[in-house]
Amino acid sequence: MTAVDPTVEALLAGIPALAPYARKAVLLRPKAGEPSSDASHIGGPMLWPGDEEWPRCQGPHMVEVREKLSDADRETLQRIDRDWRARRAGKAHDAYDAIRKEAEIRSRIMDGADVLDKVTWERIRQVPVSSVPGVPLIGVLQLLKQDVPVADWPEGRDVLQVLWCPQEHSELPGQAHYWGPAVEVHYRSAASLAAVRDVPVPVDAVASYVPRPCLLDPVEVTELPAQDELPADLFGEAKAWAEQHGIEYHRTLACLEGWKAGGWPSWHLTDQVPIDCACGATTRLFLTVDSGRDPDLNVGRFGELRIFTCPVDASHPLRLNIQ
């Protein structure tokens, strides 16, 4: 494993009050390649118990449904668009009643659909559909304990596997305001993994949820939390220190980006969101799955999918969040 960057250690030496907020993390640093089943990797063949079936997800999955508008509704929307352009060109200032009425008409025609395709004049909505016998999960990540020593490994386990269903899911149990793949995490003992499983890819998988196979070059780092998770005066000191050294606090000293095990989450799209376990404990960041780059995933419109786990009992249900 590559040596630790000393920058955060220098900051902690200068501002010792930050020490309780420092967390270890491992940046996974994926590179496209052909990983072997007995190594840490993204999207490669998985070690697997010989007597265990490959898991499937029965959904419900969010499926796109298209509904053709009637000629009358299409003509109504086209007329509304023409009227809107005419009002805009004329810079009308008394159009409130017309706009309100048109909005009511649009709402009636869309009937709760999410999008209107103005090429085919179809309403597009996402509806939940169950799948029998189910969609095979795909292997996203396999980590060996020797490569990620900072994780909280259960006794007797030395292989960690992350699988997910490569379909869209909405409002999974316990996952508020979530849209994305359904995730499973398995801790294994290498001694119990007698078989090698090629990763199945369902024919109807969302392409952006299927990772390109990658090798990993893990590096252990120490990082600090985002501004909202520090006392204001302490953050001010840390920011001033960073500026004096010509670096940015966020993403350089705190909340490092990329595929990452452990560490701190970034709250760059929303305010900090409390993510609690069903038992009441505050969860901790377990894994960050990044979009783009060599694995070529796209989660949350090129965002980060973060997996949080319970610090009291790792068997408690995961919590998922996308930024």
Side-chain angles (χ1 to χ4, degrees), residues 15 18 22 33 53 76 109 117 127 129 132 137 146 168 177 187 219 232 241 243 256 280 285 323:
I15 309 176
L18 283 169
E53 291 291 326
T76 297
I109 293 175
D117 186 332
V127 299
V129 176
V132 178
L137 304 192
Q146 66 197 43
E168 300 288 12
H177 312 298
Y187 288 97
V219 55
W241 187 96
E243 291 173 349
L256 303 185
L285 180 63
Q323 283 278 306

Side-chain angles (χ1 to χ4, degrees), residues 167-247:
Q167 294 279 1
E168 300 288 12
H169 302 74
S170 175
E171 303 295 333
L172 290 166
Q175 315 295 344
H177 312 298
Y178 177 78
W179 182 285
V183 180
E184 289 187 5
V185 172
H186 299 269
Y187 288 97
R188 311 279 195 185
S189 168
S192 69
L193 303 177
V196 177
R197 290 293 301 261
D198 289 326
V199 177
V201 179
V203 294
D204 55 351
V206 176
S208 60
Y209 291 164
V210 180
R212 178 187 300 161
C214 286
L215 308 172
L216 302 181
D217 179 23
V219 55
E220 184 177 328
V221 297
T222 303
E223 65 175 17
L224 293 164
Q227 175 179 353
D228 290 346
E229 303 200 62
L230 281 176
D233 57 341
L234 201 52
F235 171 72
E237 290 186 58
K239 183 179 180 183
W241 187 96
E243 291 173 349
Q244 290 170 5
H245 289 77
I247 57 178

Side-chain angles (χ1 to χ4, degrees), residues 11 38 42 56 67 88 103 115 121 152 175 188 199 204 211 215 224 226 241 261 263 269 271 283 306 308 320:
L11 170 58
D38 59 353
I42 292 170
R56 291 175 174 267
E67 303 161 343
R88 187 177 182 185
V115 178
W121 292 99
D152 293 327
Q175 315 295 344
R188 311 279 195 185
V199 177
D204 55 351
L215 308 172
L224 293 164
W241 187 96
L269 294 183
D271 292 334
T283 60
R306 294 94 65 78
F308 293 80
L320 305 175

